[in-house]
Amino acid sequence: GAGVSQSPSNKVTEKGKDVELRCDPISGHTALYWYRQSLGQGLEFLIYFQGNSAPDKSGLPSDRFSAERTGGSVSTLTIQRTQQEDSAVYLCASSLRPDQETQYFGPGTRLLVL
Amino acid sequence: AQTVTQSQPEMSVQEAETVTLSCTYDTSESDYYLFWYKQPPSRQMILVIRQEAYKQQNATENRFSVNFQKAAKSFSLKISDSQLGDAAMYFCACLMDSNYQLIWGAGTKLIIKP
């Protein structure tokens, strides 16, 4: 596609439920990134994929967070047993390669945990 | 540790005038890349401008230009002929050559007065 797409645009869930956030990167981009942006703050790195593998999962805040990427394309970020502090905007980005390359962002998913 | 600092939480400018947003960074690496991203209320993170540290010439993109002072580790963004559509959060970010993770500043909210 023309740009990075994410779905859903907004998600409201109840505390304790699981949620899945989807990212579809720019075609041909091998690197994919997930970031979290809490209200009024900068971006927090979560995880990075090169192809289907995730060399760096160090940014995931807890074991309730997991992510996968299939076919070197679409990625899913899953949050299990959501907590209110998980409420944030989750941004996905992709780049042609992981280094030296500009990261292009999707519109994000706003997650609200009640 | 690498850090990026934006010391201006908020700036305002009259439409058609010029405004400069400040950014400083700290890194021990010699090769890196600097970015300014714009995030309007739609929350899409949009690339404004990119600067390679090895290039002495300041990057420009239409009304947007940077003042890159490598020795001072300073990377300010100048917006000329400000337009209402420039109103947004502006984030400065740094990508190390040996890494893939963007390091972000806290952002500056730019207000355009009509």
Side-chain angles (χ1 to χ4, degrees):
Chain A
V4 179
S5 60
Q6 292 186 245
S7 61
S9 178
N10 295 281
K11 176 72 176 178
V12 180
T13 190
E14 294 179 349
K15 178 181 172 182
K17 294 284 180 71
D18 298 350
V19 295
E20 282 190 355
L21 312 180
R22 176 189 168 106
C23 172
D24 201 342
I26 293 172
S27 178
H29 281 195
T30 64
L32 185 147
Y33 315 80
W34 283 98
Y35 293 89
R36 179 168 72 173
Q37 185 178 28
S38 300
L39 186 63
Q41 297 185 19
L43 276 68
E44 172 191 5
F45 170 80
L46 296 179
I47 190 169
Y48 141 70
F49 287 92
Q50 173 57 30
N52 290 335
S53 64
D56 187 355
K57 301 179 181 180
S58 64
L60 295 177
S62 77
D63 58 8
R64 296 186 295 104
F65 287 71
S66 62
E68 64 175 15
R69 188 180 186 194
T70 55
S73 181
V74 172
S75 175
T76 302
L77 177 68
T78 301
I79 309 173
Q80 295 178 312
R81 305 181 302 281
T82 52
Q83 303 294 313
Q84 288 182 334
E85 60 262 29
D86 298 334
S87 296
V89 174
Y90 290 82
L91 290 163
C92 175
S94 70
S95 66
L96 196 58
R97 296 182 334 231
D99 60 323
Q100 303 182 18
E101 291 289 337
T102 299
Q103 296 180 18
Y104 295 92
F105 284 79
T109 294
R110 183 181 298 279
L111 175 66
L112 178 61
V113 181
L114 301 177
Chain B
Q2 292 92 4
T3 58
V4 175
T5 302
Q6 292 179 252
S7 59
Q8 305 154 316
E10 185 174 297
M11 291 283 285
S12 64
V13 63
Q14 205 71 35
E15 190 177 5
E17 293 188 348
T18 296
V19 64
T20 298
L21 308 184
S22 301
C23 173
T24 59
Y25 59 93
D26 186 21
T27 178
S28 56
E29 300 205 10
S30 57
D31 289 329
Y32 48 90
Y33 306 83
L34 297 164
F35 304 85
W36 279 98
Y37 282 90
K38 166 186 175 181
Q39 188 179 40
S42 66
R43 73 172 183 252
Q44 175 102 39
M45 197 70 79
I46 301 165
L47 176 69
V48 174
I49 202 163
R50 166 190 164 119
Q51 173 82 42
E52 289 84 358
Y54 62 83
K55 290 186 178 179
Q56 292 186 336
Q57 187 172 7
N58 288 325
T60 63
E61 285 289 341
N62 300 314
R63 297 182 296 108
F64 299 87
S65 61
V66 300
N67 183 2
F68 174 46
Q69 301 289 329
K70 191 171 183 179
K73 296 182 179 175
S74 171
F75 182 62
S76 60
L77 175 70
K78 185 171 84 171
I79 306 174
S80 303
D81 185 25
S82 299
Q83 299 176 1
L84 294 178
D86 295 334
M89 284 291 292
Y90 284 79
F91 291 93
C92 178
C94 183
L95 179 68
M96 307 303 162
D97 191 27
S98 61
N99 208 338
Y100 49 81
Q101 185 182 141
L102 278 168
I103 308 299
W104 296 83
T108 297
K109 182 178 181 180
L110 179 63
I111 298 168
I112 311 294
K113 299 177 185 175

